[in-house]
Amino acid sequence: MISVHNISKKFGKLQVLNDFNLEFELGNSYALMGPNGSGKTTLIKTILGMVIPDSGDITVGSQSIKGDVSYRKQIGYMPQIGHYPANIKIGQLFSMMKDMRPEIKNYDLELVEAFGLEEMKNKAMGTLSGGTRQKVSAALAFLFHPSILILDEPTAGLDPIAVELLKTKIKKERARGKLILITSHILSDLEELTNRAIYIYEGEVFFSNTIEELKEITGECKFSPAIAKLMEWTLKKKSKKTILNHV
Amino acid sequence: MFKLLKYALYDILKSRFAIIYTVFLALVAISIYQVSDDLSKVSLSLMNIMILFIPLISAVFATTHFYNNLEFIELMLAQPVKRIHVFLSQLLAVVIMLSLSILLGFGLPMLLWGADSSLITLLVVGVVLSSVFAGFAFLASVLTRDKAKAIGISLALWIYFSLVYDGLVLYIIYSFADYPLEKATLALVMLNPVDLGRILMLMQLDISALMGYTGAFFQQFFSSGSGIFIATFALLIWMLVPNYLATRIFRKRDF
Amino acid sequence: MLKLRKAMNRIFPFILILCLYAIHAEAGKIILKPGQSIQAAVDRSAAGDTLIFSPGTYQASAVKIRKPLSLIGNNHPVMDGENKGNIFLVASENVLIRGLKFIRTGKSNMDDSAAIKFFDSKNCVIENNILVDTFFGLHFSNSSNLTIRKNKVNASASREFEVGNGIHLWKCKDSLIEKNEVSGHRDGIYLEFVTNTLAKENFIQGNMRYGLHFMFAHDNTYLKNTFKRNGAGVAVMYTKNVTMQENRFEENWGSSAYGILLKDISDSKVIGNVFLKNTVGIYMEGSSRIDFKENTFKENGWALKLMASCDQNLFQANNFTRNTFDISTNGNLVLNQLNENYWDKYEGYDLNRDRIGDVPFRPINLYSVIVEKIPASVMLWRSFLVTLLDRMEKILPTMTPDEMIDHSPKMRPYDFGT
């Protein structure tokens, strides 16, 4: 569904993505991992069109995203921290998002109802707590039945009940055959929600395979120690990544 | 685009800043009307305040607004809308808000107590200067990723155009006083939007003195409508160029 | 009382004519038709006769009148000079010319072609005539007791040397110039060696050079005239004992345009005049002992340019409003007095409530000194930088003369009813 071909991106002198290649398929849920500054966020932003790559191309549904905006209709994006104009009301924010996709008439209101956002629709965004804003972000990401979901730290800042509601929703959508891309620092969440792991280190793909494969290759039977081992390897021996890339 | 603008405007018009700014301008205008004997004194005092403060406030506010809305702008960029529409909706919202504040803050007292052509010119110049400096601010904002730096650039541009530039011009005029300077001076003035706005006001308030300048070129410039036309045209260019540059950079910028 | 005087003024010439009739009881009436020779009719007539011109156009070139005659036009008959020299030449007493229209004099500077030229004449009345595109309009030399009234003198030349003066008096005295309209000439009214004359309620507009121009013209009075949009305003020179009262000087714009330029004028009075929208309201040099009182200076570029060669002048109870600069001067020596004027730029206070400001006012602005030296710097006027400089100069005067000061500035403007 999403193919990332030979993407390179430099910020100043810093090579953030280096000849980067990845494939994302419908029906899979990907855990995007890597240390801070490894290029996770840049990758997501490149897919969303917020960062323009120096070279390479990304196709979504076999169509290049260069100079195109309509592909974003298929993507539901939940940012890490939702900042919204302070004087806009929740209801207005939703109608604004709807106005940007006038041809979509069928809305997924499951999370709106679950989070009770309908009752708060006349509250201004500036008056909301961080958690409520995250609920709004989550609800917006699912609102248009997108086939691709990009969720950046989706559970951060949410209360436990909301976290459970959101996780259930993610699993449900995954079962419906959607493509889900999640970054998170909470490894248990990732283990629960994803079936494939992508580990990025210094702008290159260090590991990309199923979680079972990850456990096998690292010799760990649990997710967290497996990831920890990956991290160790990256630090110890850079030469190893070439071997692993071919696995 | 207009849908985006609608929401951006709704947000900005309800902001505390918009209300405080409008009330501030209205209070200034009301108090000047109260202490002045006649309209031209009103436009003189208002002009002194306007030429100094409106560029400053516009520049600082527009920069702050851009950075406060940066995350939201990013979210918008992830939506199926064109970048240029996202940018223009933000920019136009700021320009419209600043203009409305001037039109209301200065305009309502004018409706109450009367206005003459110089005060109408003042309103127009105020709106144009707001747009010019909002343009500078947005340009500074897309050029750097640091809010403090962007505000610094905006402030520097304000000081440059309000004070430093005129100092340089005065120095040049002083140094080359023996040469015919009329076209050069006029050209120098065209290179500063604040000066252009001021000259448009001078043509209303001090035409008698301006006509005292030796030189057929000046005489023609000031006595005919062409002077007003050229100055207005130059101001429009000042209004468009920074905004155009900012738009171009924004289209290529990474977030 | 005033009305009565006005009425008397109006009636006076008629009384004069009646008297003439009384003296020449046998005075005849000659009626002229277009095509007839005016010169022949004049030669034929006896002193004191009246020539009445029927409507139409008459060829009239250098018609000489050497005896008392009344020439009266019926419905403004046209005296066509056919571009040849003067139209009428008068050298006589008691000539009345009324209701005629003069067109097409010669355009020569050699003989100063005029519609009517008077030499050595006395007691003449010229009224209700219309002059269109004459080189000089009415030209008088060495004459006295003239009444020049309600004539419309209009030229439409585009360059100064293509036209002479509207009403031109040289070596004349005891005359009245009243309610004339002069436009498009070189000088509207030109007086040289003219004494004891009153110019009143004339409307002098759009002349190439000066609206009013006089030299060596002592003891004259100028009352309620309007001088508007003349190329260089009004210029008066080398004269003493002038009274200028309630005149209006308006919209004289240009690099050397003045409401009034006073050069070597002394012992005079300038009272109750209005100076509106002139580049310079009053420019004076070498002038002394002039009282300027109750004048209104409004929306001028410079209300006063007072050169250091002026002394003992008094500026009292004038209104200065909305001028770009109130006063400028070219030296540090100030020998003139400023008292009790209203300055709209005054920012002082009046604690003892006597309507006089408690701190003195310095009407000279630092930037006006700079503009005086470098005219191009006027472009920076009212910029923040210049405002700052001016404020500093107000606190610590360094470049502006100390003595140019009004110690008793009024808090409120005077009401002169203008």
Side-chain angles (χ1 to χ4, degrees):
Chain A
M1 186 68 182
I2 303 176
S3 311
V4 179
H5 298 297
N6 307 96
I7 289 292
S8 292
K9 182 70 191 174
K10 262 185 174 175
F11 285 133
K13 280 186 177 165
L14 188 71
Q15 186 81 40
V16 185
L17 295 178
N18 190 9
D19 204 20
F20 201 91
N21 286 290
L22 266 179
E23 288 287 331
F24 300 93
E25 302 294 338
L26 280 179
N28 282 323
S29 175
Y30 298 85
L32 189 60
M33 293 170 292
N36 294 331
S38 58
K40 279 180 300 184
T41 312
T42 307
L43 176 65
I44 289 177
K45 286 185 167 179
T46 313
I47 293 171
L48 288 167
M50 288 151 67
V51 168
I52 297 160
D54 300 332
S55 63
D57 192 19
I58 294 175
T59 56
V60 173
S62 77
Q63 203 156 15
S64 170
I65 66 166
K66 260 184 208 156
D68 182 39
V69 295
S70 61
Y71 78 94
R72 289 182 210 138
K73 282 177 199 156
Q74 306 171 52
I75 302 178
Y77 169 57
M78 179 178 173
Q80 197 171 49
I81 304 160
H83 279 279
Y84 298 95
N87 303 301
I88 293 263
K89 291 170 185 155
I90 294 181
Q92 286 174 318
L93 183 66
F94 276 81
S95 13
M96 178 180 167
M97 290 293 181
K98 288 173 185 170
D99 280 346
M100 287 189 242
R101 299 167 180 82
E103 62 287 337
I104 299 178
K105 296 277 186 287
N106 178 22
Y107 306 116
D108 180 351
L109 296 173
E110 217 171 291
L111 279 183
V112 178
E113 280 154 19
F115 291 146
L117 295 176
E118 188 62 31
E119 293 81 69
M120 298 197 290
K121 71 172 184 205
N122 284 324
K123 278 198 175 172
M125 294 304 295
T127 63
L128 302 182
S129 70
T132 313
R133 277 208 297 272
Q134 278 303 90
K135 287 179 188 167
V136 170
S137 299
L140 281 175
F142 289 91
L143 189 64
F144 301 98
H145 298 289
S147 46
I148 300 165
L149 282 158
I150 298 178
L151 312 172
D152 197 355
E153 300 281 352
T155 55
L158 285 177
D159 61 71
I161 303 168
V163 168
E164 282 316 308
L165 285 168
L166 179 59
K167 280 186 189 168
T168 317
K169 178 69 183 164
I170 293 172
K171 284 183 218 159
K172 202 164 158 190
E173 293 303 315
R174 181 182 146 193
R176 281 186 183 150
K178 298 203 166 160
L179 192 167
I180 296 170
L181 182 58
I182 304 177
T183 73
S184 181
H185 285 94
I186 303 162
L187 295 178
S188 61
D189 284 352
L190 289 176
E191 187 176 18
E192 187 183 346
L193 295 171
T194 61
N195 61 341
R196 293 184 72 95
I198 297 169
Y199 195 86
I200 301 176
Y201 182 72
E202 288 189 343
E204 286 174 36
V205 182
F206 190 77
F207 178 88
S208 171
N209 213 320
T210 59
I211 288 179
E212 287 72 41
E213 197 69 28
L214 172 71
K215 287 176 182 167
E216 204 173 297
I217 217 165
T218 51
E220 301 282 344
C221 54
K222 280 187 179 157
F223 188 71
S224 317
I227 295 297
K229 204 150 210 178
L230 266 188
M231 290 178 87
E232 251 173 59
W233 288 352
T234 58
L235 296 173
K236 254 199 248 161
K237 228 181 179 183
K238 287 191 179 178
S239 57
K240 262 197 176 164
K241 72 188 168 191
T242 35
I243 306 159
L244 282 165
N245 264 350
H246 297 287
V247 173
Chain B
M1 161 81 187
F2 288 103
K3 283 171 185 165
L4 295 184
L5 179 60
K6 184 177 85 184
Y7 294 104
L9 256 185
Y10 181 88
D11 174 53
I12 203 168
L13 291 182
K14 283 191 85 179
S15 68
R16 205 180 304 148
F17 172 80
I19 294 156
I20 291 173
Y21 185 46
T22 312
V23 169
F24 164 75
L25 292 177
L27 284 179
V28 166
I30 289 167
S31 50
I32 284 173
Y33 263 100
Q34 293 305 322
V35 298
S36 303
D37 313 317
D38 62 50
L39 285 179
S40 71
K41 245 186 153 174
V42 172
S43 54
L44 259 183
S45 314
L46 278 182
M47 171 191 144
N48 282 335
I49 288 167
M50 190 185 81
I51 283 219
L52 192 60
F53 289 108
I54 281 184
L56 171 67
I57 295 170
S58 303
V60 173
F61 170 73
T63 320
T64 323
H65 182 79
F66 183 90
Y67 277 93
N68 284 349
N69 270 355
L70 191 59
E71 283 92 354
F72 182 63
I73 290 171
E74 286 182 24
L75 180 65
M76 303 265 279
L77 292 180
Q79 310 300 321
V81 282
K82 285 195 175 141
R83 271 194 175 204
I84 186 165
H85 290 175
V86 174
F87 185 73
L88 286 181
S89 66
Q90 292 293 316
L91 178 65
L92 282 178
V94 168
V95 169
I96 290 172
M97 185 236 103
L98 291 170
S99 306
L100 277 179
S101 288
I102 293 173
L103 292 177
L104 285 178
F106 283 176
L108 283 183
M110 287 181 196
L111 277 182
L112 269 177
W113 292 303
D116 57 9
S117 66
S118 69
L119 282 165
I120 304 296
T121 312
L122 184 101
L123 282 185
V124 175
V125 170
V127 167
V128 173
L129 282 183
S130 301
S131 323
V132 172
F133 277 82
F136 282 147
F138 271 70
L139 184 58
S141 302
V142 294
L143 277 175
T144 166
R145 308 190 148 267
D146 183 357
K147 182 177 178 179
K149 220 189 235 171
I151 289 182
I153 295 174
S154 299
L155 281 179
L157 282 171
W158 169 70
I159 290 175
Y160 175 73
F161 284 122
S162 309
L163 192 65
V164 178
Y165 187 88
D166 290 344
L168 290 174
V169 172
L170 193 59
Y171 178 76
I172 291 170
I173 293 176
Y174 231 105
S175 314
F176 297 97
D178 300 333
Y179 300 89
L181 277 175
E182 44 183 39
K183 284 182 189 170
T185 325
L186 215 51
L188 285 174
V189 164
M190 297 285 165
L191 295 177
N192 181 347
V194 180
D195 278 348
L196 273 172
R198 188 173 51 76
I199 295 289
L200 276 175
M201 291 300 294
L202 279 190
M203 286 194 224
Q204 303 283 336
L205 295 168
D206 298 289
I207 186 69
S208 306
L210 289 174
M211 295 303 289
Y213 190 84
T214 344
F217 186 71
F218 259 46
Q219 295 266 330
Q220 222 177 354
F221 184 81
F222 288 118
S223 59
S224 61
S226 68
I228 292 176
F229 178 78
I230 293 169
T232 312
F233 183 73
L235 258 184
L236 283 179
I237 289 179
W238 270 110
M239 212 164 120
L240 293 177
V241 167
N243 288 317
Y244 172 73
L245 287 178
T247 312
R248 275 194 61 147
I249 296 170
F250 185 87
R251 286 174 67 176
K252 301 250 162 71
R253 191 181 189 259
D254 297 317
F255 284 87
Chain C
M1 206 34 217
L2 197 75
K3 252 190 183 162
L4 189 69
R5 219 161 71 196
K6 254 190 184 163
M8 282 299 288
N9 276 337
R10 220 167 273 167
I11 295 164
F12 178 73
F14 297 102
I15 295 173
L16 198 86
I17 294 158
L18 280 178
C19 291
L20 288 173
Y21 277 111
I23 296 162
H24 304 276
E26 73 285 8
K29 234 187 214 178
I30 299 168
I31 295 178
L32 274 93
K33 294 239 156 53
Q36 289 179 325
S37 161
I38 304 172
Q39 189 67 58
V42 168
D43 293 344
R44 216 168 51 232
S45 64
D49 279 357
T50 300
L51 272 62
I52 295 180
F53 290 77
S54 310
T57 303
Y58 298 78
Q59 291 179 357
S61 184
V63 175
K64 295 172 194 72
I65 300 164
R66 293 179 187 279
K67 55 191 134 188
L69 278 180
S70 296
L71 287 79
I72 294 172
N74 180 0
N75 203 11
H76 287 107
V78 177
M79 307 293 117
D80 185 352
E82 297 178 314
N83 300 324
K84 288 182 282 187
N86 303 292
I87 298 178
F88 284 6
L89 293 154
V90 181
S92 170
E93 296 184 5
N94 301 323
V95 171
L96 165 77
I97 298 175
R98 181 199 293 152
L100 298 177
K101 181 172 182 177
F102 296 85
I103 63 169
R104 296 209 289 170
T105 60
K107 301 271 177 205
S108 166
N109 257 316
M110 299 292 288
D111 71 336
D112 286 355
S113 305
I116 314 177
K117 202 176 261 177
F118 288 80
F119 305 93
D120 311 316
S121 300
K122 255 207 260 181
N123 296 329
C124 292
V125 177
I126 304 91
E127 66 180 1
N128 281 329
N129 298 292
I130 298 173
L131 283 67
V132 179
D133 278 327
T134 56
F135 189 67
F136 273 75
L138 305 171
H139 189 292
F140 306 83
S141 356
N142 205 23
S143 303
S144 60
N145 289 85
L146 305 161
T147 303
I148 306 158
R149 179 187 293 144
K150 289 191 184 167
N151 300 290
K152 290 194 169 73
V153 185
N154 184 309
S156 53
S158 54
R159 276 171 294 183
E160 198 179 302
F161 60 86
E162 288 170 349
V163 72
N165 301 325
I167 297 175
H168 179 107
L169 280 75
W170 183 77
K171 277 204 175 168
C172 294
K173 59 181 184 184
D174 307 322
S175 295
L176 170 69
I177 306 168
E178 189 187 21
K179 292 182 182 160
N180 300 286
E181 295 176 22
V182 185
S183 63
H185 277 273
R186 187 202 297 150
D187 289 346
I189 299 178
Y190 177 91
L191 310 174
E192 191 174 356
F193 305 112
V194 171
T195 54
N196 199 25
T197 287
L198 170 65
K200 200 176 141 189
E201 294 170 47
N202 298 289
F203 195 86
I204 313 296
Q205 181 178 230
N207 296 288
M208 306 271 141
R209 196 170 62 179
Y210 300 118
L212 169 68
H213 186 191
F214 63 73
M215 284 188 271
F216 310 107
H218 310 301
D219 308 309
N220 296 328
T221 300
Y222 305 87
L223 191 65
K224 295 185 179 168
N225 301 289
T226 300
F227 302 98
K228 199 169 177 178
R229 278 189 228 123
N230 297 295
V234 164
V236 302
M237 303 166 189
Y238 315 114
T239 298
K240 57 183 196 242
N241 200 12
V242 180
T243 304
M244 293 193 146
Q245 212 163 339
E246 294 173 56
N247 301 289
R248 296 181 71 89
F249 303 88
E250 295 179 14
E251 294 175 40
N252 298 296
W253 277 348
S255 56
S256 49
Y258 311 97
I260 316 183
L261 180 149
L262 300 162
K263 186 176 166 63
D264 285 278
I265 301 288
S266 57
D267 302 294
S268 296
K269 288 186 167 57
V270 178
I271 296 170
N273 300 286
V274 175
F275 298 86
L276 180 69
K277 293 185 180 171
N278 303 288
T279 293
V280 178
I282 297 180
Y283 175 95
M284 54 196 289
E285 60 182 47
S287 297
S288 35
R289 295 182 301 279
I290 309 179
D291 286 356
F292 295 87
K293 287 181 181 167
E294 295 168 19
N295 298 292
T296 301
F297 296 89
K298 198 169 167 185
E299 294 175 44
N300 301 289
W302 287 259
L304 293 175
K305 280 198 178 177
L306 193 55
M307 298 298 114
S309 53
C310 299
D311 64 345
Q312 298 176 66
N313 298 293
L314 171 67
F315 295 88
Q316 190 166 2
N318 301 288
N319 278 338
F320 291 84
T321 51
R322 299 192 226 165
N323 303 298
T324 299
F325 303 112
D326 287 328
I327 299 189
S328 78
T329 184
N330 64 343
N332 280 317
L333 193 64
V334 179
L335 302 166
N336 303 287
Q337 264 191 66
L338 304 171
N339 285 327
E340 294 173 29
N341 298 291
Y342 169 74
W343 314 88
D344 68 341
K345 295 179 182 62
Y346 181 58
E347 289 174 335
Y349 44 83
D350 177 23
L351 292 181
N352 54 5
R353 299 252 157 225
D354 60 354
R355 298 184 182 190
I356 299 288
D358 297 348
V359 285
F361 178 68
R362 292 176 188 282
I364 293 196
N365 181 301
L366 165 72
Y367 205 66
S368 74
V369 178
I370 295 175
V371 172
E372 204 66 35
K373 283 180 189 151
I374 311 160
S377 58
V378 74
M379 298 296 287
L380 292 172
W381 177 234
R382 300 200 194 286
S383 64
F384 180 52
L385 175 80
V386 168
T387 313
L388 270 184
L389 286 176
D390 265 337
R391 292 272 153 185
M392 269 153 62
E393 175 73 11
K394 282 257 148 56
I395 300 164
L396 285 167
T398 53
M399 286 176 78
T400 52
D402 272 353
E403 295 103 273
M404 189 68 88
I405 196 163
D406 188 337
H407 284 283
S408 46
K410 288 280 285 184
M411 294 304 291
R412 300 241 136 242
Y414 295 92
D415 182 11
F416 300 137
T418 46

